[in-house]
Amino acid sequence: MAAQPETPQPTGFLTVVDYAARLVEVQQRVNQAVNEAGREPGSVRVLLATKTQPAALVRQVVELPEAAGMLRGENRVQELVAKGPDLAQLSIPTHLIGPLQSNKINAALRWVCGVESVASLDLAEALAKRVEPGRVLEVMVQVNVSAEPTKHGVAPGQALTLAAQVAVLPGLRLTGFMTIGANSAEEKVVRAGYAELAAIRNQAQTAGLGERLELSMGMSNDLEWAIAEGATIVRVGTAVFGPRAVQV
Ligand SMILES: *Cc1c(COP(=O)(O)O)cnc(C)c1O
């Protein structure tokens, strides 16, 4: 008797059920890390980093009930703007998580409720000028805790000063601090950077710059370490959408 042909494995295409399962998996990782850190249940939100994913897929995934309570982030303004019209009425908020040039502010502001990547007073002032009257833009100060030259963000020593300046600008609300962790597989090295951001956040709160300021840190590979150091938002791409074809 001839051998049965093997069932072909799906190549590349995931069904919406697969995405729902991945969202559940990520949420379970978060819940477990929160629990292990002895932190309050529900104290960490997941931001879905949707770069390179087409708008139609993004919509399908973020509108799943499993994504309720999560956020969405785009790191390239060009892509944020290109997908904007197709994703205008999402049920979860969108943040910009990448660098913003001042000539793209108006375009970007149409599609986000928050910018996590403010790393200069110039940008903060330009944002404050462009925010429509009556609207409040949520702003985080991005800090380069690893001091890697390729990374965007202010030096840790300048973070509090910038946060204090942002906090008093009209139209902006300082909501916290963001960082991209060190490019290292060493837990000690990565966590030291996250601990540094947490210390900055604590100083900012002590200085009266805000209550419950967020710590946006940790990605697919290291969200547990970030949560152990106090992350309140973890930004996850690969763990939900799979490896990206193009490096961005
Ligand atoms: C892409 C991206 C992420 C998510 O990274 P993954 O490793 O895919 O989870 C988080 N933060 C920023 C700023 C990103 O650009």
Side-chain angles (χ1 to χ4, degrees):
M1 199 164 87
Q4 290 287 317
E6 279 187 23
T7 314
Q9 294 300 305
T11 53
F13 292 100
L14 292 173
T15 67
V16 74
V17 177
D18 298 321
Y19 286 107
R22 286 181 175 184
L23 290 170
V24 169
E25 253 169 56
V26 166
Q27 189 63 61
Q28 280 168 348
R29 279 176 66 188
V30 168
N31 294 352
Q32 187 173 343
V34 165
N35 187 38
E36 277 168 15
R39 296 178 51 193
E40 207 180 304
S43 54
V44 179
R45 283 184 293 169
V46 173
L47 177 148
L48 297 169
T50 54
K51 59 168 165 271
T52 77
Q53 309 303 334
L57 174 66
V58 172
R59 170 173 292 284
Q60 267 201 321
V61 174
V62 307
E63 295 298 344
L64 287 167
E66 289 81 1
M70 295 184 176
L71 306 153
R72 168 191 166 236
E74 287 288 347
N75 65 314
R76 288 175 64 221
V77 174
Q78 204 184 348
E79 202 181 326
L80 171 80
V81 172
K83 292 188 214 168
D86 287 334
L87 297 175
Q89 305 286 327
L90 289 188
S91 4
I92 66 173
T94 295
H95 287 179
L96 179 65
I97 58 174
L100 175 58
Q101 259 128 37
S102 46
N103 61 343
K104 302 213 177 120
I105 289 177
N106 285 347
L109 285 187
R110 278 188 68 183
W111 310 114
V112 299
C113 68
V115 177
E116 297 195 6
S117 41
V118 171
S120 74
L121 180 59
D122 279 352
L123 176 60
E125 286 177 339
L127 284 168
K129 258 189 228 145
R130 310 282 176 81
V131 175
E132 289 159 31
R135 185 180 165 196
V136 175
L137 181 71
E138 298 172 9
V139 163
M140 295 189 204
V141 169
Q142 182 172 352
V143 185
N144 186 359
V145 292
S146 68
E148 288 162 25
T150 53
K151 287 204 169 108
H152 185 70
V154 289
Q158 292 161 11
L160 266 186
T161 305
L162 179 56
Q165 290 165 329
V166 167
V168 296
L169 285 172
L172 307 188
R173 189 168 85 240
L174 178 74
T175 57
F177 296 87
M178 185 270 246
T179 196
I180 298 173
N183 188 11
S184 162
E186 253 192 86
E187 177 169 1
K188 240 176 53 186
V189 172
V190 177
R191 284 186 61 162
Y194 292 154
E196 187 168 24
L197 196 71
I200 290 167
R201 190 272 317 266
N202 294 347
Q203 287 169 38
Q205 291 189 163
T206 303
L209 300 183
E211 293 168 24
R212 296 170 157 268
L213 292 174
E214 306 266 11
L215 281 175
S216 176
M217 57 191 197
M219 308 202 249
S220 292
N221 282 337
D222 65 356
L223 63 88
E224 284 84 1
W225 296 344
I227 289 171
E229 296 297 345
T232 63
I233 294 175
V234 292
R235 306 180 309 269
V236 172
T238 316
V240 170
F241 293 100
R244 287 175 290 272
V246 200
Q247 212 59 42
V248 183

